[in-house]
Amino acid sequence: GNSVTQMEGPVTLSEEAFLTINCTYTATGYPSLFWYVQYPGEGLQLLLKATKADDKGSNKGFEATYRKETTSFHLEKGSVQVSDSAVYFCALSAYNQGGKLIFGQGTELSVKP
Amino acid sequence: KAGVTQTPRYLIKTRGQQVTLSCSPISGHRSVSWYQQTPGQGLQFLFEYFSETQRNKGNFPGRFSGRQFSNSRSEMNVSTLELGDSALYLCASSITGALNTEAFFGQGTRLTVV
């Protein structure tokens, strides 16, 4: 079946450090891929998405590239800020599955000043 | 425009009781999905409704049910509550729920079963 695997957290970084959160997926066909972010006490917010191979999603300095050959969608940011501290979820939406999103386990990011 | 609204925000129930959670989607959105979030299992898909019809269902027991009204508002019901049902329940809406459309999430309902 379809699934998403994320690197385990928590990840602790100093401000202005480089961030990578790994995400790989298993799916039939060509899924759409998403990164969502959850701040404490909040619901999920879409951070970025990519809908086909080699697409790059980007938002607020975060980027992720849809790599079909490695079935990956790693999240990167060149310089993190304290305000980026949150839990990050990689997710996929598969063909013919309607609005169903399959999420990874989430990666908690803590950025220290 | 108003976001996805979930009510109530917090609930405490006793084992064996039943509970109903409500979700009002963004105006114009016809797809509503429900997710259960727990520390151990993460985010798990419960079901999706589109135009008052259940379109997709996750692997949850029949105690979990839902419905959608003609105005796209949705409710989910959990009967015979168990301690393990304690979780954050999230609702998400999208225009059509199609493959690449964005889902907007509410803040969730925190259910505690004692």
Side-chain angles (χ1 to χ4, degrees):
Chain A
N2 301 324
S3 66
V4 176
T5 302
Q6 278 180 246
M7 64 184 282
E8 290 191 21
V11 173
T12 303
L13 295 173
S14 298
E15 207 165 22
E16 299 185 2
F18 184 84
L19 169 71
T20 299
I21 300 177
N22 290 337
C23 170
T24 57
Y25 69 91
T26 301
T28 53
Y30 298 88
S32 290
L33 301 173
F34 306 84
W35 276 100
Y36 281 85
V37 59
Q38 186 176 35
Y39 298 100
E42 301 290 323
L44 277 69
Q45 301 173 25
L46 179 66
L47 184 57
L48 52 84
K49 71 176 185 181
T51 59
K52 61 183 187 295
D54 300 324
D55 264 2
K56 177 186 282 188
S58 62
N59 186 27
K60 299 180 182 179
F62 291 90
E63 293 183 339
T65 301
Y66 189 143
R67 302 285 188 199
K68 185 146 183 72
E69 63 276 13
T70 54
T71 61
S72 65
F73 193 55
H74 305 321
L75 182 69
E76 296 181 336
K77 187 176 185 183
S79 177
V80 293
Q81 306 299 312
V82 172
S83 58
D84 294 326
S85 298
V87 181
Y88 293 80
F89 292 91
C90 184
L92 71 81
S93 173
Y95 176 75
N96 211 27
Q97 290 289 296
K100 177 180 179 179
L101 287 167
I102 296 172
F103 287 92
Q105 283 295 101
T107 302
E108 182 180 0
L109 170 66
S110 177
V111 181
K112 306 298 184 186
Chain B
K1 58 183 178 181
V4 178
T5 302
Q6 291 188 245
T7 55
R9 289 292 310 276
Y10 302 93
L11 266 178
I12 300 176
K13 290 287 188 179
T14 304
R15 263 185 309 176
Q17 288 187 312
Q18 75 165 16
V19 67
T20 299
L21 312 182
S22 179
C23 172
S24 293
I26 292 171
S27 178
H29 286 197
R30 296 166 64 191
S31 168
V32 174
S33 298
W34 289 88
Y35 295 84
Q36 181 194 65
Q37 185 176 22
T38 60
Q41 299 298 316
L43 279 155
Q44 293 187 287
F45 173 79
L46 281 154
F47 28 66
E48 184 216 1
Y49 286 86
F50 180 78
S51 293
E52 301 179 66
T53 301
Q54 188 180 85
R55 186 159 68 172
N56 215 332
K57 189 177 189 306
N59 296 323
F60 278 81
R63 300 184 297 105
F64 292 82
S65 62
R67 60 178 175 169
Q68 187 181 33
F69 302 95
S70 58
N71 61 358
S72 294
R73 190 177 71 85
S74 178
E75 290 180 346
M76 68 163 281
N77 184 275
V78 187
S79 62
T80 320
L81 284 165
E82 301 177 358
L83 295 179
D85 298 332
S86 295
L88 180 66
Y89 290 88
L90 292 166
C91 164
S93 79
S94 67
I95 293 176
T96 63
L99 180 64
N100 57 5
T101 56
E102 179 178 353
F104 294 82
F105 283 79
Q107 290 186 294
T109 294
R110 172 75 62 185
L111 172 65
T112 303
V113 182
V114 297

